[in-house]
Amino acid sequence: TALVGSSGSGKSTLISLAMNFNQPLSGKIRIDGKDLQTLRLRDFRSYLGVVMQDNFLFDGTIAENIAFGAREPVTQAQIEAAAREAQAHEFITSFPNGYATVIGERGVTLSGGQRQRLSIARALLADRPILLLDEATSSLDAASERLVQQALETLEAGRTTLVIAHRLATVQHADR
């Protein structure tokens, strides 16, 4: 499902409601027919994969950032497979230390497109059934957006996905 609208129209508020950060003033949010308020918050959030406009990356290696949030310990091969699917492997291997490259607080050593593709790799590796995308491509140049869009198509396959965007091009593959 895609939601497109201008700034301030409430799109990100819907993401906050879906993540149970805020409670609805009226009505209910249901997941597979169950009222979100009746579910254990920790259990519910373990089903969510999230890629935001400004994702959290920490001062660690690329591999550590991709593996962050995985349910179980992961192998280097799994990290690299997720990076390939996210269109990130090529830029990662161009760094002298590859996956062992330290990216700095919030990924300051990376471009916006590179940060987004790491976040997508993280979501791919976490393999959650519900995916929330909030303006995941809004701050990217055209070339980076194309790469991120390819990665998002891979990420969305087989998942319930809610996409928030300003531009129709971002949501052209949505069912609703």
Side-chain angles (χ1 to χ4, degrees):
T1 299
L3 297 166
V4 178
S6 60
S7 295
S9 63
K11 301 179 308 293
S12 294
T13 299
L14 288 174
I15 292 288
S16 292
L17 288 166
M19 293 176 70
N20 205 15
F21 289 149
N22 299 324
Q23 311 310 313
L25 298 175
S26 63
K28 297 179 191 274
I29 297 174
R30 297 183 188 275
I31 305 295
D32 288 335
K34 297 176 187 163
D35 183 351
L36 182 57
Q37 296 305 307
T38 65
L39 303 175
R40 284 187 43 200
L41 187 58
R42 182 181 184 132
D43 292 342
F44 168 67
R45 287 192 181 149
S46 73
Y47 286 93
L48 299 178
V50 181
V51 179
M52 308 294 270
Q53 179 178 354
D54 186 24
N55 290 286
F56 176 75
L57 296 173
F58 57 89
D59 187 15
T61 67
I62 289 174
E64 291 167 338
N65 272 278
I66 292 173
F68 182 76
R71 294 178 197 212
E72 301 172 1
V74 295
T75 66
Q76 184 66 25
Q78 290 171 306
I79 291 168
E80 290 180 19
R84 280 187 181 87
E85 288 183 69
Q87 307 292 321
H89 180 74
E90 188 173 318
F91 85 77
I92 293 169
T93 56
S94 73
F95 294 130
N97 294 327
Y99 285 84
T101 300
V102 175
I103 60 172
E105 191 69 33
R106 301 189 61 76
V108 296
T109 63
L110 304 175
S111 72
Q114 290 170 332
R115 287 192 299 271
Q116 284 302 83
R117 286 180 274 161
L118 286 188
S119 297
I120 292 166
R122 178 188 290 167
L124 281 162
L125 190 60
D127 195 25
R128 307 295 165 86
I130 300 172
L131 181 61
L132 305 175
L133 304 174
D134 190 3
E135 298 290 355
T137 64
S138 67
S139 62
L140 304 177
D141 60 64
S144 293
E145 184 174 9
R146 275 192 301 279
L147 289 171
V148 169
Q149 279 298 97
Q150 290 173 350
L152 289 174
E153 287 176 27
T154 300
L155 180 59
E156 292 171 11
R159 291 180 173 78
T160 299
T161 306
L162 177 60
V163 181
I164 304 285
H166 280 110
R167 297 187 299 257
L168 287 174
T170 306
V171 296
Q172 63 188 354
H173 300 303
D175 297 325
R176 297 160 88 186

